[in-house]
């Protein structure tokens, strides 16, 4: 990690029993670190792999809602209007979040889920 002036860092303060502090100090010293650096490393290590959980959860939920809304919208508007709305949504997404990153995988053409999506569209078109 690049050096950052201590005054530019956020301050994290807590109270711990003396025995806990002494153990942290001993661990830090054994690793050639200050107590602050040792604790910062512990926090970073604890966050690794977990910080994306909520983002991934939101992504999954948004996918569910998007599929459902698309199925409902397709039955309510013309194909031309649907294409216009989809383009508008894409432009709004790019404006708010930047361009789409490269897709990390290829979706197979014959996804079994496509049949489910078609079935959902069929059911929703009769509601």
């Amino acid at each position: 990690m690049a050096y950052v002036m201590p005054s530019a860092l956020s301050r994290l303060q807590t109270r711990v029993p003396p025995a806990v502090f002494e153990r942290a100090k001993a661990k830090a010293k054994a690793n050639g670190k200050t107590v602050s650096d040792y604790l910062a490393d512990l926090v970073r290590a604890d966050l690794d792999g977990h910080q994306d959980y909520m983002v991934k959860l939101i992504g999954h939920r948004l996918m569910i809602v998007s599929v459902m809304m698309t199925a409902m919208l397709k039955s309510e508007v013309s194909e031309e209007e649907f294409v216009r709305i989809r383009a508008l949504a894409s432009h709004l997404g790019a404006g708010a979040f930047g361009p789409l990153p490269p897709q990390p995988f290829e979706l197979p053409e014959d996804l079994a889920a496509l049949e489910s999506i078609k079935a959902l569209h069929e059911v929703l078109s009769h509601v």
Side-chain angles (χ1 to χ4, degrees), residues 45-55:
D46 183 62
L47 291 175
D48 283 345
H50 301 286
Q51 67 269 36
D52 292 334
Y53 172 76
M54 291 306 294
V55 172

Side-chain angles (χ1 to χ4, degrees), residues 6-121:
S7 60
L9 298 173
S10 298
R11 184 180 183 114
L12 178 65
Q13 190 172 351
T14 188
R15 297 190 182 280
V16 295
V20 171
F21 179 74
E22 290 304 319
R23 285 177 53 201
K25 196 160 75 171
K27 285 280 210 172
K29 185 176 180 181
N31 287 291
K33 298 177 183 275
T34 65
V35 173
S36 292
D37 288 340
Y38 175 68
L39 293 175
D41 288 348
L42 287 176
V43 170
R44 276 191 291 276
D46 183 62
L47 291 175
D48 283 345
H50 301 286
Q51 67 269 36
D52 292 334
Y53 172 76
M54 291 306 294
V55 172
K56 290 177 182 177
L57 179 64
I58 290 168
H60 281 272
R61 299 292 164 88
L62 282 174
M63 182 61 67
I64 292 168
V65 170
S66 295
V67 168
M68 291 180 179
M69 293 299 295
T70 300
M72 290 188 298
L73 183 63
K74 281 194 78 90
S75 66
E76 297 296 322
V77 299
S78 68
E79 185 64 26
E80 295 80 25
E81 183 69 3
F82 180 79
V83 169
R84 189 187 71 72
I85 292 169
R86 185 175 57 201
L88 175 63
S90 294
H91 290 303
L92 289 172
F97 305 110
L100 285 173
Q103 187 171 321
F105 56 87
E106 290 296 321
L107 290 172
E109 294 281 331
D110 60 340
L111 273 178
L114 290 178
E115 290 305 315
S116 299
I117 293 169
K118 289 177 188 173
L120 175 65
H121 174 67

